[in-house]
Amino acid sequence: MASWSLGKLVILTIVGSVTLELLYYTWNYFKRNHRHKHGKTKPKQQQKNIFHNVLFFPDQHIACKEHFNSSDGCLRSGCKYAHSETSLTHMLSYLRSARKTLDLCVFVITCHELSDTVIALHERGVTVRVITDDEQVDITGSKIGAFRAAGIQVRQDRSSYLMHHKFALIDEDVLINGSFNWTRQAVTGNNENLLITNSRDIVQPYIEEFERLWEQFDPRNYKCLPHTNSDQIHQAIS
Ligand SMILES: [Zn+2]
């Protein structure tokens, strides 16, 4: 009788364990299905307050400084400048929103409305870094000299290839990117586009690209660059 009871107890224990195990897996199976159906399994945190904006150029006219900046407005009759917002004024507004950092990676910059804004941000305490193309630094109207004179950090490539990017990062939060060269001709002459976004999925790779180039174009790392003009000259001489 005692051995029968012991055997029964062992069987009951095994059956009980298996039943509990089955119940556990069944519960988890239905829980996973329920989450999946109701979209509760998010692969990552969704970004809130994403915005995108698009600007097209050319502007018909440059914005009137008196109209936008003077308390009396523009008093000129027949003023030839724009008295309404333009793509450039929108672009400048985004740049002026910088509070901590402004990283520029631009092939060329000759537009003084843009360079004046960049220098004003630097003077306001925003950390400005500029990457540009070495062959555009000394062209007529280039503002790179003015940046350096103002104390803005500028780095340039040292290659026969072009540093052809045209993007800006505001506070590492907002990206301005497109075909737009930072020149007057792009503002009022060319068909150009700019996309402005704070989408993290898009902004983050641009931050990484900027940091990569900033490091690559550090003068201390010039020797690591392949096939630069001066390397070729040096090889020819030696
Ligand atoms: Zn005016």
Coordinates of all heavy atoms in Angstrom, one line a residue, residues 34-77:
H34 N -0.7 38.5 -28.6 CA -1.5 39.7 -28.3 C -0.7 40.9 -28.5 O -1.2 41.9 -29.1 CB -2.0 39.6 -26.8 CG -2.8 40.7 -26.4 ND1 -4.1 40.9 -26.8 CD2 -2.5 41.8 -25.7 CE1 -4.6 42.0 -26.3 NE2 -3.7 42.6 -25.6
R35 N 0.5 41.0 -28.1 CA 1.4 42.1 -28.2 C 1.6 42.4 -29.7 O 1.6 43.6 -30.1 CB 2.8 41.9 -27.6 CG 2.8 42.2 -26.1 CD 4.2 42.0 -25.6 NE 4.2 42.3 -24.2 CZ 5.3 42.0 -23.4 NH1 6.4 41.5 -24.0 NH2 5.3 42.3 -22.2
H36 N 1.9 41.4 -30.5 CA 2.2 41.5 -31.9 C 1.0 42.1 -32.6 O 1.1 43.1 -33.4 CB 2.5 40.2 -32.5 CG 2.9 40.3 -34.0 ND1 4.0 40.9 -34.4 CD2 2.2 39.9 -35.1 CE1 4.1 40.8 -35.7 NE2 3.0 40.2 -36.1
K37 N -0.3 41.6 -32.3 CA -1.5 42.1 -33.0 C -1.8 43.5 -32.6 O -2.3 44.3 -33.4 CB -2.7 41.2 -32.5 CG -2.7 39.9 -33.3 CD -3.9 39.1 -32.8 CE -3.9 37.7 -33.4 NZ -5.0 36.8 -32.9
H38 N -1.4 43.9 -31.4 CA -1.8 45.3 -31.0 C -0.6 46.2 -31.1 O -0.6 47.3 -30.5 CB -2.3 45.2 -29.6 CG -3.6 44.5 -29.5 ND1 -4.8 45.1 -29.7 CD2 -3.9 43.2 -29.3 CE1 -5.8 44.2 -29.7 NE2 -5.3 43.0 -29.4
G39 N 0.5 45.8 -31.8 CA 1.6 46.7 -32.0 C 2.3 47.1 -30.8 O 2.9 48.2 -30.8
K40 N 2.4 46.3 -29.8 CA 3.1 46.7 -28.6 C 4.5 46.3 -28.6 O 5.3 46.7 -27.7 CB 2.3 46.1 -27.4 CG 1.0 46.7 -27.1 CD 0.3 46.1 -25.9 CE -1.0 46.8 -25.7 NZ -1.8 46.2 -24.6
T41 N 5.0 45.5 -29.6 CA 6.4 45.2 -29.6 C 7.1 46.1 -30.6 O 7.2 45.9 -31.7 CB 6.6 43.7 -30.1 OG1 5.8 43.5 -31.3 CG2 6.2 42.7 -29.1
K42 N 7.6 47.2 -30.0 CA 8.3 48.2 -30.8 C 9.8 47.9 -30.8 O 10.3 47.7 -29.7 CB 8.0 49.6 -30.3 CG 6.6 50.0 -30.4 CD 6.4 51.4 -29.7 CE 4.9 51.7 -29.8 NZ 4.6 52.9 -29.0
P43 N 10.4 47.9 -31.9 CA 11.8 47.5 -32.0 C 12.6 48.6 -31.2 O 13.7 48.3 -30.7 CB 12.2 47.5 -33.5 CG 11.1 48.3 -34.1 CD 9.9 48.1 -33.3
K44 N 12.2 49.8 -31.3 CA 13.0 50.9 -30.5 C 12.0 52.0 -30.2 O 10.9 52.1 -30.8 CB 14.1 51.4 -31.4 CG 13.7 51.9 -32.7 CD 15.0 52.3 -33.5 CE 14.6 52.7 -34.9 NZ 15.7 53.0 -35.8
Q45 N 12.5 52.9 -29.4 CA 11.7 54.1 -29.0 C 11.4 54.9 -30.2 O 12.3 55.3 -31.0 CB 12.5 54.9 -28.0 CG 11.7 56.0 -27.3 CD 10.7 55.4 -26.3 OE1 10.9 54.4 -25.7 NE2 9.6 56.1 -26.1
Q46 N 10.1 55.2 -30.4 CA 9.7 56.1 -31.5 C 10.0 57.6 -31.2 O 9.7 58.0 -30.1 CB 8.2 56.0 -31.8 CG 7.8 54.6 -32.4 CD 8.4 54.3 -33.7 OE1 8.3 55.1 -34.6 NE2 9.0 53.1 -33.9
Q47 N 10.7 58.3 -32.1 CA 11.0 59.7 -31.9 C 9.7 60.5 -32.0 O 8.9 60.3 -32.9 CB 12.0 60.2 -33.0 CG 12.4 61.6 -32.8 CD 13.3 62.1 -33.9 OE1 13.7 61.3 -34.8 NE2 13.6 63.4 -33.9
K48 N 9.5 61.4 -31.1 CA 8.4 62.3 -31.1 C 8.7 63.6 -31.8 O 9.9 64.0 -31.8 CB 7.8 62.6 -29.7 CG 7.3 61.3 -29.1 CD 6.8 61.6 -27.6 CE 6.3 60.3 -27.0 NZ 6.0 60.5 -25.6
N49 N 7.7 64.4 -32.2 CA 7.9 65.7 -32.8 C 8.9 65.8 -33.9 O 9.7 66.7 -34.0 CB 8.4 66.7 -31.7 CG 7.4 66.7 -30.5 OD1 6.2 66.7 -30.7 ND2 8.0 66.7 -29.3
I50 N 8.8 64.8 -34.8 CA 9.7 64.9 -36.0 C 9.1 65.9 -37.0 O 7.9 66.0 -37.2 CB 9.7 63.5 -36.7 CG1 10.3 62.4 -35.9 CG2 10.4 63.6 -38.1 CD1 10.4 61.1 -36.5
F51 N 10.0 66.7 -37.6 CA 9.5 67.6 -38.6 C 10.4 67.6 -39.8 O 11.6 67.2 -39.7 CB 9.4 69.1 -38.1 CG 10.8 69.8 -38.0 CD1 11.3 70.4 -39.0 CD2 11.5 69.8 -36.8 CE1 12.6 71.0 -39.0 CE2 12.7 70.4 -36.7 CZ 13.3 71.0 -37.8
H52 N 9.8 67.9 -41.0 CA 10.6 68.0 -42.2 C 10.1 69.3 -42.9 O 9.0 69.6 -42.8 CB 10.3 66.8 -43.2 CG 10.4 65.5 -42.5 ND1 11.6 65.0 -42.0 CD2 9.5 64.5 -42.4 CE1 11.4 63.7 -41.6 NE2 10.1 63.4 -41.7
N53 N 11.0 69.9 -43.6 CA 10.7 71.1 -44.4 C 11.5 71.0 -45.6 O 12.6 70.5 -45.6 CB 10.9 72.4 -43.6 CG 10.2 73.5 -44.2 OD1 9.5 73.4 -45.2 ND2 10.3 74.7 -43.6
V54 N 11.0 71.6 -46.7 CA 11.7 71.6 -48.0 C 11.8 73.1 -48.5 O 10.7 73.8 -48.4 CB 11.1 70.7 -49.0 CG1 11.8 70.9 -50.4 CG2 11.0 69.3 -48.6
L55 N 12.9 73.5 -48.9 CA 13.1 74.9 -49.5 C 13.6 74.7 -50.9 O 14.5 73.9 -51.2 CB 14.0 75.7 -48.7 CG 13.7 76.0 -47.2 CD1 14.8 76.8 -46.5 CD2 12.4 76.8 -47.1
F56 N 13.0 75.5 -51.8 CA 13.5 75.5 -53.2 C 14.1 76.9 -53.5 O 13.5 77.9 -53.1 CB 12.4 75.1 -54.2 CG 12.0 73.7 -54.0 CD1 10.8 73.4 -53.5 CD2 12.9 72.7 -54.4 CE1 10.4 72.0 -53.4 CE2 12.5 71.3 -54.3 CZ 11.3 71.0 -53.8
F57 N 15.1 77.0 -54.3 CA 15.7 78.2 -54.8 C 15.6 78.1 -56.4 O 15.4 77.0 -56.9 CB 17.1 78.3 -54.4 CG 17.3 78.5 -52.9 CD1 17.3 77.4 -52.1 CD2 17.4 79.8 -52.3 CE1 17.4 77.5 -50.7 CE2 17.5 79.9 -50.9 CZ 17.6 78.8 -50.1
P58 N 15.7 79.2 -57.1 CA 16.1 80.5 -56.7 C 15.0 81.4 -56.0 O 13.8 81.2 -56.4 CB 16.6 81.2 -58.0 CG 15.7 80.6 -59.0 CD 15.4 79.2 -58.6
D59 N 15.4 82.3 -55.1 CA 14.5 83.3 -54.7 C 14.5 84.4 -55.8 O 15.5 84.6 -56.5 CB 15.1 84.0 -53.4 CG 14.9 83.1 -52.2 OD1 14.0 82.2 -52.2 OD2 15.7 83.2 -51.2
Q60 N 13.3 85.0 -55.9 CA 13.2 86.1 -56.9 C 14.1 87.3 -56.5 O 14.7 87.9 -57.4 CB 11.7 86.5 -57.1 CG 10.9 85.5 -57.7 CD 11.4 85.0 -59.1 OE1 11.6 85.9 -60.0 NE2 11.6 83.7 -59.2
H61 N 14.1 87.6 -55.2 CA 14.9 88.7 -54.7 C 15.5 88.4 -53.4 O 15.0 87.5 -52.7 CB 14.0 90.0 -54.6 CG 13.3 90.4 -55.8 ND1 14.0 91.0 -56.9 CD2 12.0 90.2 -56.2 CE1 13.1 91.2 -57.8 NE2 11.9 90.8 -57.5
I62 N 16.6 89.1 -53.1 CA 17.1 89.0 -51.7 C 16.2 89.8 -50.8 O 15.6 90.8 -51.2 CB 18.5 89.7 -51.7 CG1 19.5 88.8 -52.5 CG2 19.0 89.9 -50.3 CD1 19.9 87.5 -51.8
A63 N 16.0 89.3 -49.5 CA 15.1 90.0 -48.6 C 15.6 91.4 -48.2 O 16.8 91.6 -48.1 CB 15.0 89.1 -47.3
C64 N 14.7 92.3 -48.0 CA 15.0 93.7 -47.7 C 15.4 93.8 -46.2 O 14.6 93.4 -45.3 CB 13.8 94.5 -48.0 SG 14.0 96.2 -47.5
K65 N 16.6 94.2 -46.0 CA 17.1 94.3 -44.6 C 16.3 95.3 -43.8 O 15.9 95.0 -42.6 CB 18.6 94.8 -44.6 CG 19.5 93.7 -44.9 CD 21.0 94.2 -44.8 CE 22.0 93.1 -45.2 NZ 23.3 93.6 -45.1
E66 N 16.0 96.5 -44.4 CA 15.2 97.5 -43.7 C 13.8 96.9 -43.3 O 13.3 97.1 -42.2 CB 15.0 98.8 -44.5 CG 16.3 99.6 -44.6 CD 17.4 99.0 -45.4 OE1 17.1 98.1 -46.2 OE2 18.6 99.4 -45.2
H67 N 13.2 96.3 -44.2 CA 11.8 95.8 -44.0 C 11.8 94.8 -42.8 O 10.9 94.8 -42.0 CB 11.3 95.1 -45.2 CG 10.0 94.5 -45.0 ND1 8.8 95.2 -45.0 CD2 9.6 93.2 -44.8 CE1 7.8 94.4 -44.8 NE2 8.2 93.2 -44.7
F68 N 12.9 93.9 -42.7 CA 12.9 92.9 -41.7 C 13.6 93.3 -40.4 O 13.2 92.8 -39.4 CB 13.5 91.6 -42.3 CG 12.7 90.8 -43.2 CD1 12.8 90.9 -44.6 CD2 11.7 90.0 -42.8 CE1 12.0 90.2 -45.5 CE2 10.8 89.3 -43.6 CZ 11.0 89.4 -45.0
N69 N 14.5 94.2 -40.5 CA 15.3 94.5 -39.3 C 15.0 95.9 -38.7 O 15.3 96.1 -37.5 CB 16.8 94.4 -39.7 CG 17.2 93.1 -40.2 OD1 16.6 92.1 -39.8 ND2 18.2 93.0 -41.0
S70 N 14.6 96.8 -39.5 CA 14.4 98.2 -38.9 C 13.0 98.3 -38.3 O 12.0 97.8 -38.8 CB 14.5 99.2 -40.1 OG 14.0 100.5 -39.6
S71 N 12.9 99.0 -37.2 CA 11.6 99.2 -36.5 C 10.7 100.1 -37.4 O 9.5 100.0 -37.3 CB 11.8 99.8 -35.2 OG 12.6 101.1 -35.3
D72 N 11.3 100.9 -38.2 CA 10.4 101.8 -39.1 C 10.0 101.1 -40.4 O 9.3 101.6 -41.2 CB 11.2 103.1 -39.4 CG 11.4 103.9 -38.2 OD1 10.6 103.8 -37.3 OD2 12.5 104.6 -38.2
G73 N 10.6 99.9 -40.6 CA 10.4 99.2 -41.9 C 11.1 99.8 -43.0 O 11.9 100.8 -42.8
C74 N 10.8 99.4 -44.2 CA 11.5 99.9 -45.4 C 10.7 101.2 -45.9 O 9.5 101.1 -46.1 CB 11.5 98.9 -46.5 SG 12.2 99.5 -48.0
L75 N 11.5 102.3 -46.0 CA 10.8 103.6 -46.4 C 11.1 103.9 -47.9 O 10.7 104.9 -48.4 CB 11.4 104.7 -45.5 CG 11.2 104.5 -44.0 CD1 11.8 105.6 -43.2 CD2 9.7 104.4 -43.7
R76 N 11.8 103.0 -48.6 CA 12.1 103.2 -50.0 C 10.9 102.9 -50.9 O 10.3 101.9 -50.8 CB 13.3 102.4 -50.4 CG 14.6 102.8 -49.8 CD 15.7 101.9 -50.2 NE 15.5 100.5 -49.6 CZ 16.5 99.6 -49.4 NH1 17.7 99.9 -49.8 NH2 16.2 98.5 -48.9
S77 N 10.6 103.9 -51.7 CA 9.5 103.6 -52.6 C 10.1 102.8 -53.8 O 11.2 103.1 -54.3 CB 8.9 104.9 -53.2 OG 9.9 105.7 -53.9

